[in-house]
Amino acid sequence: MPRRTVEAVSERAAAPRPGARRGARATGAADTARAPAKRPLPPALAKNAARSAAMKRARLAEQARADIELIKRRRERIAEDFYDIGEALVRLKRPGVPESLGHKSFGDLCQAELGLSASKAAQLLAIVRSVPREQARSLGQERAAALLALAEATPEDDSTVTLASSVLKLPSGKRVDIATAPTRALREAAKEIRQAHAAADKPRRGLTTTAPERAAALALQRALRDLGLAEAHVAAVARHGGGAFVRIERVPLAELDLLRKALRPGRP
């Protein structure tokens, strides 16, 4: 065979055939597309994995329940503690106590010794003076303060106890169910009543006390409690013909000197 013919045959034999190259590419793509699926865990391993996940959930649930109980206990303790703090403030506010510690006033004492603002101290004092412990404990500090503000705003001789389960009709005509209304709604109701009374030019119908009369009764009650009579209660009671009676309760007969002192402040 001539040399040129032999070389041509060798080159054709060595060259890859077109069909074979295309087939190889197709096979590679198919292999990629048919990647083996993830094999399921053997039954024993799957059972262990499920048990481990269940134990983890149980641990999380146990910790969550413990945290919930912790929060409940702390909330109860906070409710108890804020009333104790208010009672301690009543004692600290007694005449001569701030001065005995080198402070000019009760407000200075609160700020310097306790880091307590005058408004917060006043709120705690007002709650202790007018809200029974058990009611304050069940309501919490903010709601007790809101309910007390509402009781002081109404023209009637209301207390937090009498208002707690009542439905109050506001000057706007809206009715507020005290037991279920949000704390914010109680504050807004007190504000509406105060504004309506301030804007009224005509006397109210029926027997009622005036704002100055109620303020005088409250001032006397605070004076008695500042002197250590923590359960003293003073109320202005409306009467026919105008003016108001004063009703003083829970002042022991043995402490009448303190009553005289509260009625004549600044005198021995």
Side-chain angles (χ1 to χ4, degrees), residues 77 79-88 91 127-128 130-140 144 160-161:
R77 198 173 81 179
E80 192 74 25
D81 288 350
F82 88 79
Y83 206 89
D84 291 341
I85 291 170
E87 289 182 331
R91 295 190 294 271
I127 290 172
V128 168
S130 303
V131 184
R133 175 183 283 270
E134 287 306 312
Q135 186 186 30
R137 187 174 181 271
S138 65
L139 293 174
T160 56
V161 175

Side-chain angles (χ1 to χ4, degrees), residues 6-17:
V6 173
E7 291 175 352
V9 171
S10 300
E11 289 174 358
R12 285 196 299 272
R17 290 177 294 174

Side-chain angles (χ1 to χ4, degrees), residues 80-190:
E80 192 74 25
D81 288 350
F82 88 79
Y83 206 89
D84 291 341
I85 291 170
E87 289 182 331
L89 288 173
V90 169
R91 295 190 294 271
L92 289 172
K93 199 172 187 289
R94 288 180 298 181
V97 174
E99 291 79 5
S100 71
L101 297 177
H103 299 290
K104 295 180 180 179
S105 66
F106 173 71
D108 290 341
L109 184 154
C110 288
Q111 186 63 45
E113 302 284 351
L114 304 172
L116 194 65
S117 68
S119 60
K120 183 58 68 175
Q123 183 186 87
L124 289 167
L125 288 169
I127 290 172
V128 168
R129 287 165 171 161
S130 303
V131 184
R133 175 183 283 270
E134 287 306 312
Q135 186 186 30
R137 187 174 181 271
S138 65
L139 293 174
Q141 181 177 343
E142 295 303 320
R143 188 168 183 84
L147 186 59
L148 177 57
L150 184 57
E152 292 177 344
T154 60
E156 294 77 15
D157 185 19
D158 287 317
S159 68
T160 56
V161 175
T162 59
L163 276 181
S165 58
S166 64
V167 177
L168 188 65
K169 185 177 181 180
L170 301 181
S172 63
K174 179 181 177 181
R175 292 182 178 273
V176 178
D177 187 340
I178 305 299
T180 59
T183 300
R184 181 178 178 181
L186 301 185
R187 295 195 192 96
E188 292 174 348

